[in-house]
Amino acid sequence: MKEFISDFNKLVKLRLTLTVVFSASIAFLIGAKQQGEVMWFNWLMLTIGGFLVTGAANGFNEIIERDLDKLMVRTMDRPLPSGRMNTGQALVLSLFMGIIGTLVLVQLNFIAGLLSVFSIFLYAFVYTPLKQKSPIAVLVGAFPGALPPLIGYYAAFESAGFGLAYSEVSESAVVIVPLVLFAVQFFWQFPHFWAIAWVADEDYKRAGFRLLPTKKKDKTSAVLIFISALIMIPAGFLPWYYGFGGYYFTAVSLLGGLLFTYYGYQHMLKMEDATAKKVMFTSFLYLPLTQLVLLFDYLPL
């Protein structure tokens, strides 16, 4: 049983899944704050549904990449490439999680459920095959990667079909806020994934993954990592510009963006794994911290 739990955690990429669920659950609480009431049972259902949907997407990803995972040091101990789990078992688990998770999210909000299906499809069946073909995979993967706050925010609202409950909620609160949350997480993924791709480049090459902008560790890739880090400064001002991010949030976002930019600039100059790691670790800290601060410094529209 202990071995199955360990393999299940690796199949669903537990740390990544929990990060995604955290992002969605914080967005749910922001949506609840907009309405003035937190429905904790719905928050629990979102957390469960989000975990299952994300776990399913990661499971499908590992099924598709099972032979490639054997080639990389960081992935060869996953249950499929190691032989501890067969494809059929992984497929049943992933399908079960995807169906149950989507049904849970649809019950909360139809749009949230629809977006969850779209995110599974885009991540597992578009982004995953593209990783071997073109660096555009990072752009494509940024879309499903930025959907969790959108899913979480909409899950906080009652809905009938495609319509949201607009009673006592301004139209901008159900359009502008979730799109800005999506945009910030979308832009964040470029310095995040490119920094990881730089650090793991040798391992990725064994599987033929091409995730750096130019497919290699060169000056152009380093410059684009710096530019993507620099973009986090204006991206962090978007909630303030649209009137729902307070001064505390804006200050924390600005500091985070400046840190991103500083380490991105250092990496552009030195082009070392050590400097790329600093960009990567900044990305690990930036997103959960700014989302938490926004939750407590959110100004309802």
Side-chain angles (χ1 to χ4, degrees):
M1 186 64 180
K2 185 177 179 181
E3 184 176 315
F4 172 78
I5 292 172
S6 174
D7 285 341
F8 178 78
N9 289 344
K10 290 174 182 175
L11 179 71
V12 301
K13 302 179 185 176
L14 185 62
R15 283 185 294 179
L16 173 60
T17 296
L18 291 177
T19 301
V20 170
V21 171
F22 176 84
S23 176
S25 64
I26 292 295
F28 177 95
L29 294 174
I30 290 172
K33 195 171 183 180
Q34 172 67 44
Q35 299 179 87
E37 178 187 4
V38 180
M39 294 177 282
W40 289 108
F41 179 76
N42 286 10
W43 175 83
L44 179 61
M45 289 298 99
L46 168 74
T47 302
I48 294 171
F51 181 92
L52 292 173
V53 164
T54 308
N58 288 328
F60 289 132
N61 167 268
E62 290 193 27
I63 291 168
I64 294 168
E65 293 183 346
R66 61 191 181 280
D67 293 328
L68 300 175
D69 282 346
K70 293 177 183 178
L71 307 175
M72 296 185 290
V73 175
R74 59 188 288 274
T75 57
M76 60 175 56
D77 189 47
R78 286 175 176 173
L80 286 168
S82 67
R84 295 192 303 272
M85 185 181 291
N86 62 48
T87 305
Q89 292 168 326
L91 184 60
V92 168
L93 281 170
S94 300
L95 283 171
F96 176 79
M97 290 188 292
I99 292 168
I100 299 299
T102 299
L103 288 175
V104 169
L105 293 175
V106 166
Q107 289 300 310
L108 290 178
N109 180 280
F110 184 78
I111 292 178
L114 196 65
L115 288 173
S116 71
V117 174
F118 180 64
S119 69
I120 291 175
F121 173 79
L122 201 54
Y123 179 80
F125 304 109
V126 181
Y127 163 72
T128 297
L130 269 177
K131 286 163 70 177
Q132 276 195 300
K133 294 181 169 42
S134 169
I136 201 173
V138 174
L139 172 63
V140 173
F143 284 94
L147 284 176
L150 216 60
I151 293 170
Y153 187 84
Y154 282 135
F157 294 80
E158 293 181 0
S159 70
F162 283 97
L164 291 167
Y166 280 97
S167 58
E168 301 180 12
V169 181
S170 67
E171 187 171 339
S172 58
V174 290
V175 178
I176 299 297
V177 175
L179 288 180
V180 168
L181 295 177
F182 172 89
V184 172
Q185 190 149 321
F186 179 84
F187 289 123
W188 165 83
Q189 287 176 91
F190 292 94
H192 173 70
F193 280 114
W194 282 339
I196 291 174
W198 186 288
V199 173
D201 184 59
E202 293 303 317
D203 216 14
Y204 280 156
K205 279 180 180 175
R206 295 187 183 99
F209 290 156
R210 303 172 178 181
L211 298 179
L212 283 170
T214 64
K215 305 179 186 178
K216 55 187 177 181
K217 293 177 170 182
D218 60 9
K219 191 68 174 180
T220 303
S221 287
V223 168
L224 287 171
I225 289 173
F226 165 67
I227 292 172
S228 68
L230 181 64
I231 288 172
M232 292 312 299
I233 294 177
F237 277 99
L238 287 174
W240 172 80
Y241 177 80
Y242 284 103
F244 65 87
Y247 291 116
Y248 292 112
F249 166 79
T250 306
V252 170
S253 293
L254 176 59
L255 289 173
L258 290 172
L259 197 62
F260 253 132
T261 303
Y262 173 75
Y263 286 138
Y265 181 71
Q266 289 295 311
H267 179 64
M268 183 176 65
L269 294 179
K270 298 179 182 178
M271 298 198 308
E272 299 171 350
D273 285 1
T275 52
K277 283 180 180 178
K278 289 179 180 178
V279 177
M280 182 180 71
F281 289 130
T282 300
S283 73
F284 291 155
L285 179 65
Y286 178 92
L287 196 64
L289 180 61
T290 54
Q291 288 175 338
L292 267 177
V293 174
L294 180 60
L295 173 61
F296 292 105
D297 199 25
Y298 179 76
L299 306 174
L301 296 177

